[in-house]
Amino acid sequence: MSGHTDSPSRANDQSAAAEPLPLMPIPSGVVFPEMVVTIVLESDEAAAAADAATSGELVLVPRIDGRYATVGTVARIEDRGTLGSGAPALTIRATHRAVIGAGVAGAGDALWVEITPVKTIATDRTPVLAKQYRDTAKALLASVGGRSNLSLPPIDDPGQLADTVAYWPDLSVDQRVELLETIDIDDRLALATRWAAEALADLEVASSIQREVADGMEKDQREAVLRRQLAAIQAELGEDETNVVAEFRARLAALEESVTTKARDAIAAEIDRLERAGEQSQEGSWIRGWLDTAFEVPFGEISEERIDLDQARSILDRDHTGLEDVKERIVEHLALRKLRLDRGVETPGAAAILTLVGPPGVGKTSLGESVAEALGRSFVRLALGGIRDEAEIRGHRRTYVGARPGRLVKALTEAGTMNPVVLLDELDKVGADYRGDPSAALLEVLDPAQNHSFRDHYLEFELDLSQVVFIATANRVDTIPGPLLDRVELIEIDGYTDDEKTVIGRRHVLPRVLRETGLADGDIEIDDEVLEAIVADWTRDAGMRTLERHLAKVARKAATRLVADPDTSPIVIDIDEVREALGRPIPREDLAGRSLAPGVATGLAVTGAGGDVLFVEATHMPGEPGLTLTGQLGDVMKESGELARSYLRSHATDLGIDNADRRFHVHFPAGAVPKDGPSAGVTMTTALVSLLTGRAVRPKVAMTGEISLHGQVLPIGGVKQKLLAAHRAGITEVILPAKNGDELEDVPTPVRDALTVHLVDNVDQVLAIALEPATPGPTAP
């Protein structure tokens, strides 16, 4: 092979005349130029080629999967002989590459082929590529170190240098054939460099893994030595593993009367496993963690229940203003427990699970705390919002690393008794995904007929939850799964009037805010008029959260002034101080302005935050008859819109409408808020009739009710919350279904006295009350 030249050409010079040589197939390897090898003549083809090589030369061609390579190696026979086993063999020296041509006739039984010797010509890039390969190969051999006898010989010829990669033991036969068939010297050097770099990367990864394994083994050996030394020290101090096992056995014996037979057997079995495994082993640490968790369960610890109905009522009145119906139902629940306790009645399933449903900030959680205080029991709050994993309730199985018991077991451990009051907060926000459905796990927990044998996946023995008092809270009923809802008794908390908010703010919220800001009772003065103004002009929610935040802002402003000038105490908070602290009041809805034009009606709805006022806007336009509904509406509300349009078309003559087959668009403002339910049926019907008759809806009238296809007004839910919302918004007249008339007794008297409630049975009555009187002139075109 030639050395470096000044020629820029990369063409292979194959101008030498082709010459025939006998072909010897190489079935299991590749021979490269400058190699000296011994070939055993095992096959007839090899023996025939050897016999035919009278000139002393033949061509060695790799044969892989029945296919001959396109390039072979011309070799010269150096010696012929017989191995110790008696097999004939040749010693040959490979000289150069040759391109295999067509087969030709020749002497003997050998296969003769025409060959074209290959001459490779270097280019300007060849020295650079040769240096890259040499550096990579040296780095590869250096990483191998003393584990291999491979070394890079001092070779100047770039083609021969590239062929040295064939000596790498991890190279496959296919790769060696590819290297042999790569005639261009630059391509061969690039190929060799790439393979050497890949091998170097593999070695570095393997070395890194070996180092990590070695470090881990050294750490394990070090820990084993330390454990043996610790065991020796503990033995000297009389604190060996035998004492740890004995301690667990003593703790189990102390619980003999408190645990069930199955639980006792399970704990005893784990203590035996700990004794066999040894405390210092990894398995022993897992067992000991399980035993510690099991013994943390307060077996046999029962809080003495003291039920005094008068005291319970006083506690509820002390902590909560208003909510008379709710407090009365809780007292009834406590009276039932007392009666069953006094008479020794233990009927499975008799105790109901109370679920407090209402908007945020109305006191659901604090009611649970008051019940716990009235019963004299420990109180634990279990937040369910956002839980999507069943293991959060039932615990993780011990097969998982880091497994822990579920939240119910943790609640018992935290309470320190087996009969605490457990508040299941945000029951309506339990989710489900591929990890399971937590609400399904709660079915057993909340069923009094089943929860006496609750099994946690981590502990793997049954726990008696029948003595636990479960109280649940939720903002909405429609998102609680049906089977779960069937196991609880709902107590609705509908929110507060402005007067109730003022009283609660004075009695409960303001003192708490002053304590949290470090102010004394005499540091600030807020009269009732200012407090009423904050409630009326800066709050719109059904609960107390907004009022508490606003009072905290006012208190912080006062505290800042007091720190700057202590002589300013007491600080009198007037309406100007409130405006400075809270900013502009919340603008009230312009009921009169919205309802000036025909086609706008005011409805009432219930959301997760309580009752609310919503407006319905209707218009019509040229186009194919139909109805478009917007405002992020649910399917039920969309069906109500279709019902309203069908009623209009079927009663157009009675309503004085010339043409009801038009293209309508009904929109509910506040489009970012999801809306659903059937109670907007009368509101949509009224808006459409108002649009087509040209009669505006009276601005101070709001309505709610479901409609039928024949115009009947059907009952709806959330009457109290809707009337409270109407009162807050300044509505003076409300239209309700007649079948909801009995629910007016639940509405606070001040609200009921401030509203004129019209009870209706059909749409005609709604329109007669809601629409302005007809004026002479044409109807809407």
Side-chain angles (χ1 to χ4, degrees), residues 297-363:
V297 177
F299 296 107
E301 297 294 333
I302 302 295
S303 298
E304 182 181 355
E305 187 166 279
R306 306 181 306 274
I307 301 180
D308 186 332
L309 298 184
D310 293 335
Q311 182 184 10
R313 182 66 194 216
S314 64
I315 291 173
L316 293 172
D317 290 337
R318 180 198 67 194
D319 297 338
H320 302 85
T321 299
L323 306 178
E324 296 300 325
D325 294 340
V326 177
K327 290 188 285 189
E328 183 178 351
R329 178 62 190 89
I330 291 175
V331 171
E332 292 174 358
H333 179 77
L334 298 179
L336 179 62
R337 294 188 62 88
K338 178 176 176 59
L339 185 62
R340 293 174 61 246
L341 184 65
D342 292 344
R343 297 187 176 183
V345 179
E346 294 294 338
T347 304
I353 307 297
L354 298 182
T355 299
L356 308 175
V357 180
V362 295

Side-chain angles (χ1 to χ4, degrees), residues 197-218:
E198 291 175 355
L200 179 61
D202 292 341
L203 277 178
E204 290 177 349
V205 172
S207 299
S208 175
I209 294 174
Q210 289 177 354
R211 284 194 301 271
E212 292 177 359
V213 172
D215 292 343
M217 292 178 62
E218 291 177 1

Side-chain angles (χ1 to χ4, degrees), residues 687-748:
L688 290 172
V689 173
S690 169
L691 174 70
L692 295 178
T693 59
R695 298 167 60 189
V697 179
R698 296 168 58 200
K700 293 291 186 177
V701 175
M703 63 202 73
T704 180
E706 180 181 359
I707 64 168
S708 70
L709 201 56
H710 297 287
Q712 293 180 320
V713 179
L714 306 178
I716 42 82
V719 171
K720 181 179 178 181
Q721 295 187 49
K722 292 177 179 179
L723 292 184
L724 290 175
H727 181 256
R728 285 195 298 268
I731 300 291
T732 58
E733 296 184 54
V734 175
I735 300 174
L736 287 180
K739 294 182 179 179
N740 288 115
D742 294 340
E743 299 183 42
L744 292 176
E745 298 178 359
D746 299 332
V747 180

